[in-house]
Amino acid sequence: MYSLRSSTAVSAVFMSARSLTRLMASIVASPPSGLMCEKVDITVTGLDKEQPVTLSATVQARDAQFQSHAHYITDSTGSVVCSRQAAVGGTFSGVQPMGLFWSLQPDKKGTRLVPRDVTQRLSVELQVHAGHVDRTSQQEPIARCVVERAFMGEGVTRTVVREGRVRGVLFLPEGKGPFPGVIDMYGNHNILEHRAALLASQGFAAFRLMFSVFDDLPKVEKYMDSDYFEQAVDWFSAHPQVQPGGVGVVGLSLGGTLALVMGTLTDKINAVVCLNGNIAMLPPIEFNYRGEILPTVRLDLSKAKVKEEGVIDADGVVNDPEPEICIKVEHIRCPILFVAGEADTNWKSVKLAKQAIARLQSHGKTNYKLLTYPGTGHVLEPPHMPHCKIAYHPMARGVIDYGGETAAHCAAQEDLWPRMIQFLRKCRRHSQL
């Protein structure tokens, strides 16, 4: 039977052991600062062997807090090396060196971890907790460090563009140009700049072409015309810091649709990357293509379903386009890279890409390549960015499910990025794959 004195002594010893662990434990991220698309090596040392611990990551962005966590068992040296040890639970599992970054989840449903200001770095706090706890634990960490993630590399410049009607943001790499040029576009009402900033950090002159909700552009995507996009290509391809021989264009979702349209308009495009884009124009856009309004796909709103917590399942709402209303991709003379997620619930991206390829083949064209990714949803981002499965959609006026399974989706993002960079670098005007 313990006396009060002996019980107090045991408690004191236990507290001293915890304090000692807290003093000895450390977590190191290498490098401590780098681009969002670059890997980080995370190592924890100074713990007991075979000790259960939890690693967590926290970052504040867009008025929301994003968190992730992973459970580990230390090795025989009392260490955790994320690049070779498997997480046994948490927001991911298995050997995933960047899992703490791509599995970050917001405390506000529908919020995306994308920067409002790409010139600012994101500060991600990494913590180590004794035992296996969840990401909401208030337990005092035994070690912590901060990792900074940047979207603009050293020396990259950002300039707002107002050239005639054309609006956007130009990112130029450090050093003496000219550089290979690429135009970047996102989908509905998105004025995101992070992919263009990262492309510039890879040595491209990257022009984030805006077409709505920016500067003095229209606040709604109702009317568009081919002249605007041709003027953008003409201006950018003639820029003194852009290499002659044409520019590439990358687009996601509606941006991918517009990338295909741009490829039909001018031979100053030397590469098209269509990321989960539709192959026909989308309502309610009235797109004036050299004097003719492009027909749009039909929507079946009866197929929209509201799931738990008000999330909209839009799978099947966008009908497959009839052949006669599809973009005439056979007029694109440069190489085309179609990228499609097999679990995209915004529309059937794989089927659409194959439909476009069939059209190319029927005209004897071979200037295409298709990448499909299992378990991958609609919103493809640069590597190590969190899976955007649920986000606000302006047309739906609510939060929708974009599909995908987090681990598979983020593996696709990591695999795609270097392939896309290589594709853009090797393509030349009128070349055949």
Side-chain angles (χ1 to χ4, degrees):
M1 184 175 184
Y2 288 111
S3 66
L4 179 60
R5 179 176 297 178
S6 62
S7 177
T8 302
V10 170
S11 298
V13 170
F14 177 73
M15 291 179 67
S16 296
R18 287 194 63 182
S19 298
L20 184 61
T21 299
R22 187 176 293 113
L23 288 172
M24 296 180 64
S26 69
I27 179 170
V28 175
S30 179
S33 180
L35 292 172
M36 178 62 83
C37 59
E38 295 173 343
K39 287 188 175 182
V40 178
D41 290 324
I42 302 171
T43 303
V44 180
T45 57
L47 300 170
D48 294 331
K49 65 178 181 178
E50 298 181 358
Q51 178 181 344
V53 293
T54 299
L55 275 60
S56 68
T58 305
V59 61
Q60 195 76 27
R62 287 190 172 262
D63 303 320
Q65 186 178 75
F66 293 77
Q67 291 183 310
S68 63
H69 72 283
H71 299 153
Y72 288 93
I73 304 293
T74 61
D75 63 15
S76 59
T77 67
S79 303
V80 173
V81 182
C82 293
S83 62
R84 65 169 184 256
Q85 285 171 250
V88 296
T91 51
F92 66 93
S93 61
V95 180
Q96 299 287 354
M98 296 298 290
L100 286 171
F101 295 89
W102 56 250
S103 70
L104 284 161
Q105 299 173 1
D107 60 359
K108 295 180 180 178
K109 187 174 290 293
T111 306
R112 293 172 65 178
L113 203 166
V114 288
R116 282 198 175 97
D117 182 355
V118 293
T119 66
Q120 300 298 310
R121 295 170 180 261
L122 290 179
S123 293
V124 184
E125 183 174 54
L126 303 179
Q127 296 184 350
V128 183
H129 300 265
H132 288 165
V133 298
D134 66 23
R135 60 192 174 120
T136 61
S137 173
Q138 299 300 310
Q139 182 190 105
E140 182 71 17
I142 57 177
R144 68 177 77 199
C145 72
V146 173
V147 182
E148 290 192 335
R149 309 297 283 160
F151 295 91
M152 290 175 60
E154 292 295 327
V156 172
T157 60
R158 175 188 181 276
T159 306
V160 174
V161 173
R162 300 181 182 91
E163 290 287 336
R165 294 174 59 206
V166 176
R167 300 290 181 267
V169 180
L170 176 63
F171 294 90
L172 292 175
E174 183 179 28
K176 185 178 180 181
F179 308 98
V182 59
I183 294 171
D184 182 47
M185 294 179 294
Y186 270 80
N188 296 84
H189 292 77
N190 282 317
I191 55 173
L192 306 174
E193 302 175 15
H194 57 284
R195 188 170 58 213
L198 287 170
L199 284 168
S201 302
Q202 302 298 312
F204 292 92
F207 178 39
R208 174 56 172 102
L209 176 60
M210 306 296 185
F211 45 84
S212 68
V213 203
F214 179 83
D215 201 60
D216 58 354
L217 291 174
K219 303 303 180 187
V220 293
E221 291 155 355
K222 176 66 174 174
Y223 304 103
M224 296 186 191
D225 63 85
S226 55
D227 286 348
Y228 178 81
F229 294 93
E230 284 189 275
Q231 289 171 24
V233 175
D234 289 344
W235 170 80
F236 184 52
S237 61
H239 195 284
Q241 289 286 55
V242 173
Q243 290 178 359
V247 297
V249 57
V250 177
L252 170 70
S253 192
L254 172 60
T257 304
L258 294 172
L260 294 174
V261 171
M262 290 171 70
T264 70
L265 289 169
T266 172
D267 63 2
K268 294 178 183 178
I269 299 292
N270 64 29
V272 171
V273 179
C274 177
L275 305 172
N276 286 330
N278 207 303
I279 59 171
M281 193 50 62
L282 300 160
I285 299 170
E286 294 182 22
F287 194 102
N288 186 323
Y289 186 100
R290 294 178 172 169
E292 295 185 8
I293 302 299
L294 294 182
T296 60
V297 296
R298 291 180 291 109
L299 304 182
D300 185 353
L301 299 179
S302 68
K303 292 185 178 179
K305 302 177 182 66
V306 180
K307 305 193 298 183
E308 58 185 30
E309 299 184 30
V311 176
I312 301 170
D313 180 357
D315 194 12
V317 169
V318 181
N319 289 353
D320 297 338
E322 297 84 358
E324 60 271 17
I325 74 167
C326 288
I327 295 164
K328 295 178 180 179
V329 292
E330 64 273 16
H331 293 169
I332 301 175
R333 300 175 65 186
C334 69
I336 312 165
L337 176 61
F338 294 97
V339 182
E342 294 181 12
D344 185 351
T345 55
N346 198 57
W347 47 60
K348 298 177 181 64
S349 290
V350 174
K351 184 176 182 180
L352 292 170
K354 289 181 176 179
Q355 186 176 343
I357 288 171
R359 184 174 184 124
L360 288 164
Q361 291 173 335
S362 70
H363 287 81
K365 304 293 290 277
T366 61
N367 58 326
Y368 60 84
K369 184 175 183 178
L370 171 63
L371 293 177
T372 63
Y373 290 101
T376 301
H378 187 69
V379 184
L380 288 165
E381 293 281 27
H384 318 315
M385 293 190 68
H387 173 204
C388 176
K389 178 176 172 61
I390 297 172
Y392 180 80
H393 194 292
M395 284 184 63
R397 297 182 180 179
V399 175
I400 77 165
D401 186 343
Y402 284 103
E405 185 275 316
T406 296
H409 185 98
C410 294
Q413 292 182 163
E414 185 173 350
D415 181 82
L416 169 63
W417 184 252
R419 293 176 184 269
M420 185 178 77
I421 297 295
Q422 182 184 31
F423 177 81
L424 290 168
R425 284 182 174 152
K426 70 182 278 192
C427 288
R428 290 295 181 266
R429 186 169 51 185
H430 306 161
S431 65
Q432 299 286 300
L433 289 176

